[in-house]
Amino acid sequence: MTTTPASEPSAITPRLRVAPSPTGDPHVGTAYMALFNLAFVRKHGGRFVLRVEDTDRARFREDSEAQLFDTLDWLGLNWDEGPDVGGPYAPYRQSERLDTYAPYIERLIESGHAYYCWCSSERLRELRAEQERSKSPVTGYDRLCHGMTKEQRAELPGFSETPVVRMLIPDDVPLEFDDLIRGRLKAPRPDDQVIRKADGFPTYHMAVVVDDHEMGITHVVRGEEWISSTPKHLLLYRWLGLPEPKFAHMPLLRNANKSKISKRKNPEARLTWFREQGYLPEALVNFLALLGYPPIVETDENGERTEREVFSFREFSEGFEWSKINPVGPIFDLTKLDWLNGVYIRELPVNELAARLLPHLIDEGAVPPNPTMAELARLESVTALIQPRLTHLTKAGALVAPFYVPDDAVPVDEDARAQLKDDAPQVVDAAIEALEGVSTAPGDVFGEGRGWTHENIEAALRSALVEGKGLKPKFAFGPVRTAISGKKVSPPLFESMQILGRDATLTRLKTFRASL
């Protein structure tokens, strides 16, 4: 059940955290959670903590932590405390905090709130299978080990030498709690949760409570899949006499079919995928905010209210309220992200966009690995041409590459050559003759200096091909475009020829003419 969301405390300095597990490529949900945590922290002058929950050693991956740091930093979701920057509550890796958990677990055992369980994994599997077969209304662990000594339990089947430790869930366990987003919630009754595994590592449920307490976490923000675990966590807080944090359960990111977005089925679930695909970090941050939060509402001078979907992290944080979050799982719409990415690309200064493009272009081989100053200057000019139509940084390679190939060896795509008409040789001959009359002398207007500008280039070619030969522009400029870029589609033709320069342009035309 849900009622009015709980109020937001302001008397204490907020301390929030994101606590991913290094079990593979970072999930986009980690950035989603980090974003909302960080927005609240920055608004209220609090502290944002990055904690690595690496107690799942079976799925642990060595390179995952570095990827996590790198991708969150790329997004600008910077933390105040963490494994790499330290802080007053170090260490920030759970595997380095094992001594921290032991006393808490012992206190629970001594107080009767937890007990040892020696049941083997085989017995537990059989128990679950039997409960499913019989459609038993009671599921979960059957408490066979509760109240037994090791010796007593060893006399029964399904014994394991190394025990786990389980919570003893009382019959009257409180199941309701307040949520900052969803109001008053009720979760299902939990079973006797394992809090220490046979390998000595605490489970998530134990470690998260201890770590959040020891690190002074005031608000626990996590996905809605953890709603069912909250009664267990609240029990641990109460049994141990620890202050309880506030809880906020975010809606899960979903596919169009309403299924949960997963790394196994969705490449876009991997946080590294967005950089690989050429998205700008600020566009992705804006997109993730919109997944759980409404657009910014503005009022103009006439009193008209409008919604604005493009906003910065700072704007998002300044107006942040838990009550504005939509608890319904948002659809992960990449079309919206593509649109946002295009908006942010077009708003970048040309020199900054060129700098962001450069690593992608070098990786693709579109630009030399160590470009000269002249080659970098050319890149800025080309960037200005392609910026209006660019939606992803990775889409620039095919448009930029022709500007960096030898002028006498421009590769020509088959589809570009296939579109040529029988008169292509004559068209190219006329283009060469017309452009040889355009000099490199200063001058911006055709007929006044005939300088090598895109205006003069266009005027010369239109005069020779459209007016002189009576060709439609499509057929007049198609062979020229193919000669210059080797492509059926290219950046604006006349501006491209201006960037290449007179000599390079004529060399390309003459080389192409010789191949016809």
Side-chain angles (χ1 to χ4, degrees):
M1 62 183 180
T2 304
T3 59
T4 306
S7 60
E8 300 180 27
S10 58
I12 57 175
T13 300
R15 287 181 57 82
L16 279 71
R17 52 76 174 169
V18 66
S21 299
T23 55
D25 291 354
H27 194 284
V28 66
T30 298
Y32 175 61
M33 295 299 168
L35 172 63
F36 283 80
N37 276 275
L38 188 61
F40 182 75
V41 162
R42 294 294 177 251
K43 177 178 180 178
H44 295 283
R47 301 280 288 178
F48 181 48
V49 178
L50 174 61
R51 186 174 70 229
V52 175
E53 298 191 344
D54 57 349
T55 57
D56 187 348
R57 305 311 288 177
R59 298 173 59 215
F60 173 78
R61 228 178 69 184
E62 190 71 38
D63 60 338
S64 183
E65 185 179 293
Q67 285 184 336
L68 174 68
F69 295 162
D70 185 46
T71 47
L72 290 182
D73 181 66
W74 171 67
L75 288 170
L77 303 177
N78 304 118
W79 47 100
D80 304 305
E81 302 169 25
D84 57 333
V85 296
Y89 301 99
Y92 292 90
R93 292 183 186 89
Q94 283 188 338
S95 61
E96 298 171 2
R97 299 174 59 82
L98 296 184
D99 292 342
T100 304
Y101 311 117
Y104 290 93
I105 294 173
E106 292 305 319
R107 281 167 57 186
L108 293 173
I109 294 172
E110 291 169 4
S111 62
H113 292 304
Y115 61 96
Y116 291 105
C117 173
W118 289 272
C119 287
S120 65
S121 55
E122 290 78 13
R123 180 186 182 268
L124 295 176
R125 280 195 296 269
E126 291 171 3
L127 176 63
R128 284 192 294 270
E130 175 56 33
Q131 289 172 346
E132 290 174 4
R133 276 194 302 270
S134 64
K135 295 182 171 56
S136 172
V138 179
T139 58
Y141 184 59
D142 60 359
R143 293 184 175 172
L144 175 64
C145 295
H146 180 236
M148 288 190 178
T149 64
K150 179 178 181 180
E151 291 72 22
Q152 290 171 327
R153 180 63 183 85
E155 295 176 0
L156 301 176
F159 173 78
S160 172
E161 279 288 341
T162 309
V164 300
V165 176
R166 292 181 180 273
M167 297 173 67
L168 180 62
I169 302 296
D171 293 337
D172 59 349
V173 53
L175 299 177
E176 294 187 3
F177 63 94
D178 291 321
D179 186 274
L180 291 170
I181 297 171
R182 301 163 188 271
R184 191 74 176 168
L185 290 179
K186 183 176 182 179
R189 188 184 189 283
D191 67 347
D192 287 6
Q193 176 68 50
V194 174
I195 56 175
R196 186 172 70 195
K197 296 177 284 188
D199 62 5
F201 276 69
T203 60
Y204 167 82
H205 302 283
M206 187 70 211
V208 74
V209 168
V210 173
D211 285 340
D212 284 345
H213 166 67
E214 297 247 337
M215 295 181 182
I217 301 303
T218 59
H219 299 65
V220 173
V221 184
R222 56 193 183 188
E224 64 181 280
E225 73 268 33
W226 295 108
I227 289 175
S228 61
S229 297
T230 306
K232 290 179 270 194
H233 300 167
L234 287 171
L235 270 182
L236 291 172
Y237 280 108
R238 292 163 189 171
W239 286 344
L240 294 167
L242 309 178
E244 300 167 16
K246 300 294 180 181
F247 289 91
H249 289 90
M250 293 287 294
L252 293 181
L253 303 179
R254 301 188 184 278
N255 296 302
N257 63 3
K258 306 298 177 64
S259 63
K260 179 182 175 181
I261 187 169
S262 71
K263 290 189 291 185
R264 187 169 58 86
K265 297 180 180 178
N266 311 99
E268 65 272 20
R270 295 187 300 109
L271 195 48
T272 52
W273 181 83
F274 296 93
R275 188 189 289 192
E276 294 165 1
Q277 296 300 309
Y279 289 102
L280 297 183
E282 50 267 61
L284 180 54
V285 165
N286 193 159
F287 173 69
L288 292 175
L290 284 172
L291 286 177
Y293 211 77
I296 289 178
V297 177
E298 297 176 317
T299 305
D300 62 20
E301 61 274 9
N302 299 319
E304 295 290 330
R305 290 165 59 86
T306 58
E307 292 185 343
R308 176 162 56 89
E309 293 188 310
V310 180
F311 49 79
S312 66
F313 171 78
R314 181 175 179 178
E315 291 177 296
F316 174 52
S317 177
E318 287 174 348
F320 186 83
E321 302 289 343
W322 295 114
S323 59
K324 292 182 182 179
I325 294 175
N326 185 348
V328 178
I331 300 301
F332 206 82
D333 182 7
L334 287 177
T335 303
K336 172 62 73 67
L337 176 57
D338 290 343
W339 170 76
L340 276 172
N341 206 52
V343 170
Y344 277 92
I345 283 176
R346 289 187 290 276
E347 289 180 349
L348 283 178
V350 171
N351 62 338
E352 185 176 343
L353 177 56
R356 297 204 196 190
L357 286 172
L358 187 58
H360 293 276
L361 296 172
I362 291 175
D363 286 345
E364 294 176 36
V367 170
N370 298 297
T372 64
M373 294 300 293
E375 289 169 334
L376 290 174
R378 174 175 286 191
L379 178 58
E380 280 201 25
S381 299
V382 176
T383 299
L385 282 190
I386 66 176
Q387 185 173 20
R389 63 181 71 181
L390 199 61
T391 57
H392 297 73
L393 299 183
T394 48
K395 303 290 187 184
L399 300 172
V400 172
F403 290 88
Y404 292 89
V405 297
D407 297 317
D408 59 354
V410 177
V412 179
D413 291 348
E414 286 303 316
D415 64 340
R417 194 179 289 276
Q419 71 172 346
L420 298 175
K421 303 299 182 184
D422 293 339
D423 64 349
Q426 292 75 35
V427 172
V428 176
D429 284 337
I432 292 171
E433 182 179 355
L435 293 176
E436 283 180 334
V438 181
S439 72
T440 56
D444 293 330
V445 182
F446 183 64
E448 297 181 9
R450 300 174 69 84
W452 190 261
T453 64
H454 66 86
E455 297 95 341
N456 289 345
I457 293 167
E458 180 178 2
L461 290 176
R462 285 189 179 278
S463 176
L465 304 178
V466 178
E467 298 163 13
K469 287 188 170 291
L471 298 172
K472 292 183 178 180
K474 175 183 177 181
F475 300 112
F477 304 136
V480 179
R481 185 182 307 279
T482 302
I484 295 302
S485 68
K487 307 287 184 183
K488 187 176 180 179
V489 177
S490 73
L493 176 61
F494 311 117
E495 288 84 350
S496 297
M497 296 164 78
Q498 177 179 327
I499 291 171
L500 288 168
R502 183 177 186 274
D503 292 344
T505 296
L506 289 170
T507 298
R508 291 182 180 219
L509 285 165
K510 292 174 181 178
T511 302
F512 181 65
R513 173 63 182 88
S515 73
L516 295 176

